[in-house]
Amino acid sequence: MLEMTSQYKELGISEAVYRFGQKIEEALKERFANIDEVAEYNQLKVIKAMQERRVNEACFHYASGYGYNDQGRDTLEEVYASVFHTESALVRPQITCGTHALALALSANLRPGDELLSPVGKPYDTLEEVIGIRESKGSLAEYGITYRQVDLLEDGTFDYEKIKAAIHEKTKLVTIQRSKGYQTRPSFSVTQIGELIAFVKSIKPDVICMVDNCYGEFVETIEPSDVGADLVVGSLIKNPGGGLAPIGGYVAGKEEYIENCAYRLTSPGLGKEVGASLGVMQAFYQGLFLAPTVVSSALKGAIFAANIYESLGYSVIPNGTESRHDIIQAVTFGKPEGVIAFCEGIQAAAPVDSYVTPIPWAMPGYDSDVIMAVGAFVQGSSIELSADGPIKPPYAVYFQGGLTWPHAKLGILMSLEKLVQAGIVTLPEAR
Ligand SMILES: *Cc1c(COP(=O)(O)O)cnc(C)c1O
């Protein structure tokens, strides 16, 4: 037996917290084995794509200027198309984040007079300004594109009747968000998304079905593009960047729609031909290569946290046993001190900025103070272990990521340690 307790002790984890964590982890063996199996499957999928597209050393060369014939970039886009089983893909450092990728896919494929439909309720916060739900410069609304939304039923399922009624001759694109993001609705499985797409297409076959795939990539063995999505969209500083991509977003899907995205991203007439990769290609390839196991580490962390805090009597979403469709975990503490102690623990366990104490602060776009734990190699990266919580009822913390399982585990144990030290949590043995 390794001297694990003393190793943890040196990092600030007491023996009681460590032992409590070990008991929880012990009971999760079977689930972790299933997660490893999904990672194994997806790892093979990625390697196969890289071999088929003949990825080679020249793909990592620096390209500058216009970027004509940027081999690394062009090959990477083929690799993404192969992984997602799509005709084409656009994967670029010039796509700055997930919101940008989504805004690009929408504005590239919608024209004045068209209508956008969300059949899964309100989209991710930042999309509100893209669409124009909240008034904003450059929104789709400013270009005469209308928006309609059908909320989920109370049990979190699709309201098929209202969706049917909402589709009409102007409906051009349907956007489906896979992850709940920071809402309380459930995240959708790829199979559920497939059922919704089939329903939408049965009413209007030529409608474009787009999926916001953020936080969902590699959680399952299939992706929304395997079940009928015409476009899947995501961020490289989340799952598919594997923690190594320093920037970037992707759109994968039907050739025609990806071309529209390329002409919108660069310029009419130029499309995919320009856009130098500026030396980030090795990180993009290597990040994608690591992504399946990185996602599995993040998933284990989320499940470990759910089970730890559920067993201590806190409400957790998703709960300790339900199946996972993204890497986000919410824990409700019911009081600000709990949220703060949790985030202090995540920060204290980070490889970067561990000595910094996070404090709640006013943030643009939020109506309360927010506390964030971010000890990341890539600024704002949420595939790295990170947590944030708005300081308002119900005082919940949202946490995600973890490039390795041992780091995710340390972060969660450290959060528990801080809660114990603050007198908010009493461990069962000590009661
Ligand atoms: C993170 C996220 C986005 C936006 O991505 P950014 O990179 O933060 O702009 C959009 N949708 C969902 C579901 C997300 O999780």
Side-chain angles (χ1 to χ4, degrees), residues 287-416:
L288 179 66
F289 173 75
L290 292 178
T293 52
V294 167
V295 169
S296 74
S297 301
L299 271 175
K300 287 176 186 174
I303 291 167
F304 185 60
N307 281 275
I308 288 225
Y309 286 104
E310 193 171 58
S311 75
L312 292 168
Y314 293 104
S315 143
V316 295
I317 301 173
N319 71 33
T321 50
E322 69 188 272
S323 74
R324 297 276 158 162
H325 308 300
D326 64 26
I327 62 166
I328 302 175
Q329 181 64 48
V331 183
T332 301
F333 286 106
K335 50 181 171 184
E337 296 79 14
V339 173
I340 292 167
F342 183 97
C343 289
E344 282 176 357
I346 297 296
Q347 186 78 39
V352 179
D353 291 336
S354 64
Y355 52 86
V356 167
T357 305
I359 50 169
W361 208 256
M363 299 273 299
Y366 290 84
D367 56 2
S368 71
D369 284 357
V370 181
I371 183 165
M372 292 190 172
V374 279
F377 294 103
V378 172
Q379 191 205 81
S381 167
S382 49
I383 187 62
E384 297 187 52
L385 195 65
S386 48
D388 54 75
I391 304 298
K392 63 177 183 186
Y395 300 104
V397 68
Y398 296 88
F399 123 95
Q400 65 276 310
L403 297 185
T404 69
W405 154 241
H407 178 221
K409 177 176 171 178
L410 173 67
I412 294 148
L413 292 179
M414 195 68 88
S415 72
L416 181 56

Side-chain angles (χ1 to χ4, degrees), residues 10 36 41 56 100 128 144 181 210 227 240 279 296 302 310 340 383 402:
E10 280 184 38
D36 286 337
Y41 183 96
N56 59 80
H100 186 191
E128 291 187 5
M210 178 183 108
V227 295
S296 74
E310 193 171 58
I340 292 167
I383 187 62

Side-chain angles (χ1 to χ4, degrees), residues 121-139:
K122 188 185 92 64
Y124 197 75
D125 265 16
T126 56
L127 267 289
E128 291 187 5
E129 285 181 88
V130 171
I131 295 166
I133 300 170
R134 270 187 287 143
E135 205 176 304
S136 180
K137 282 196 198 306
S139 70

Side-chain angles (χ1 to χ4, degrees), residues 46-66:
V46 169
I47 292 173
K48 180 164 170 276
M50 290 190 176
Q51 291 181 350
E52 274 175 3
R53 299 301 163 183
R54 303 177 71 89
V55 173
N56 59 80
E57 187 268 337
C59 292
F60 312 141
H61 287 176
Y62 189 95
S64 62
Y66 290 99

